[in-house]
Amino acid sequence: MDRVPVLSLGDVLLVSIQVDLEDRIAVQLQEDLAERIVATGAHGVLIDITALDIVDSFVGRMLATIASVSRVLDAETVVVGMRPAVAITLVELGLPLRGIRTALNVELGLGLLRAARGVDEVDEAEPEPEPAELS
Amino acid sequence: MDRVPVLSLGDVLLVSIQVDLEDRIAVQLQEDLAERIVATGAHGVLIDITALDIVDSFVGRMLATIASVSRVLDAETVVVGMRPAVAITLVELGLPLRGIRTALNVELGLGLLRAARGVDEVDEAEPEPEPAELS
């Protein structure tokens, strides 16, 4: 497997991380995501880490970098699907993922992204649909 | 990695296959999907194979089994993200994935699933939203 696929869902990009992120794959993912945000005009990035048993400082830093790059490109990042044990370990390691938004699952993450956009775009002619519709 | 995560998107389950599917993982995925369809009442299953360079007869059979099991549980299966080379190889191998619907990407797959549900549920009190809304 040479790269992590980036899936497009409306104006949100979805990445499900399932493989151990070596340097090369992590860098490739960051580049792919930045390119796809620009190409699709996506306003949100959902990163699913359900499959990860361990989130170490390397992965934490990669998530923070992706969030920062996305923000510069006008896209919010939400990390979803974190396991309870991973959250505990992150805090114990002193890596509380500052600057990264989290949600329990993909649907709640989508809701968070759309709610955030809804606030941003309150002046637009066509209002965003209510977040309640997403459930 | 012990299993392929199953993500929930409204009434659709999304699976992104990124690892080589050994027997154990494939069987686990089939069981997980069947359980999640029953638990969530999902009407559609999207299987993304963007990351797969090779789809051999084992994977083809697994996809067909997932589609059959899902259909029994009242959920349609759509395979998305097949690479051109994979499609060519499948046909050359005489494995044209009969009984499995395909779409180019996740969004088109979602549209296909919702359009199919729209036709099925034409008698319902609340009509399905137009598929055009999904783009």
Side-chain angles (χ1 to χ4, degrees):
Chain A
M1 237 40 78
D2 54 347
R3 58 174 66 189
V4 179
V6 178
L7 307 177
S8 194
L9 286 173
D11 67 346
V12 172
L13 299 176
L14 174 64
V15 177
S16 176
I17 297 178
Q18 297 172 24
V19 292
D20 289 328
L21 289 167
E22 315 152 22
D23 277 25
R24 198 179 46 77
I25 294 181
V27 170
Q28 182 75 54
L29 175 59
Q30 288 173 14
E31 289 176 5
D32 286 353
L33 263 176
E35 276 171 24
R36 285 289 291 276
I37 290 170
V38 172
T40 63
H43 288 305
V45 175
L46 280 179
I47 303 180
D48 171 69
I49 59 169
T50 316
L52 295 189
D53 295 316
I54 298 166
V55 173
D56 55 14
S57 61
F58 173 70
V59 174
R61 218 163 38 235
M62 187 204 63
L63 293 175
T65 306
I66 287 176
S68 301
V69 172
S70 304
R71 198 168 300 122
V72 174
L73 295 171
D74 190 26
E76 277 295 319
T77 303
V78 178
V79 172
V80 301
M82 189 183 294
R83 300 189 185 186
V86 168
I88 292 167
T89 310
L90 277 175
V91 171
E92 283 178 351
L93 286 174
L95 296 168
L97 298 186
R98 284 193 212 293
I100 302 179
R101 288 179 164 196
T102 53
L104 281 186
N105 57 42
V106 172
E107 279 183 79
L108 294 173
L110 277 175
L112 194 62
L113 286 173
R114 296 204 185 164
R117 284 313 284 181
V119 172
D120 290 355
E121 294 174 0
V122 80
D123 291 329
E124 278 201 346
E126 196 178 317
E128 283 282 295
E130 291 294 314
E133 281 187 26
L134 301 169
S135 63
Chain B
M1 237 39 80
D2 54 346
R3 58 175 64 190
V4 180
V6 178
L7 308 178
S8 194
L9 285 173
D11 67 345
V12 171
L13 299 176
L14 174 63
V15 178
S16 177
I17 298 178
Q18 297 173 25
V19 292
D20 290 328
L21 290 166
E22 315 152 22
D23 277 27
R24 199 179 46 75
I25 294 181
V27 170
Q28 182 76 54
L29 175 59
Q30 287 172 14
E31 288 175 6
D32 286 352
L33 262 175
E35 274 169 27
R36 286 289 291 274
I37 290 171
V38 172
T40 63
H43 288 306
V45 176
L46 279 179
I47 303 180
D48 171 67
I49 58 170
T50 315
L52 295 189
D53 295 316
I54 297 165
V55 173
D56 56 13
S57 61
F58 173 71
V59 175
R61 221 167 29 240
M62 187 206 62
L63 293 175
T65 305
I66 287 176
S68 301
V69 172
S70 303
R71 199 168 298 123
V72 174
L73 296 171
D74 191 27
E76 277 295 319
T77 303
V78 178
V79 172
V80 301
M82 188 182 296
R83 298 189 186 187
V86 168
I88 293 168
T89 311
L90 278 175
V91 171
E92 283 178 352
L93 286 174
L95 296 169
L97 297 185
R98 284 191 211 292
I100 302 179
R101 286 178 165 197
T102 54
L104 282 187
N105 57 43
V106 172
E107 279 182 79
L108 294 172
L110 276 175
L112 195 63
L113 286 172
R114 298 208 183 160
R117 284 314 284 181
V119 171
D120 291 356
E121 293 175 359
V122 80
D123 292 330
E124 279 200 349
E126 195 179 318
E128 283 280 294
E130 292 294 313
E133 282 188 23
L134 301 167
S135 64

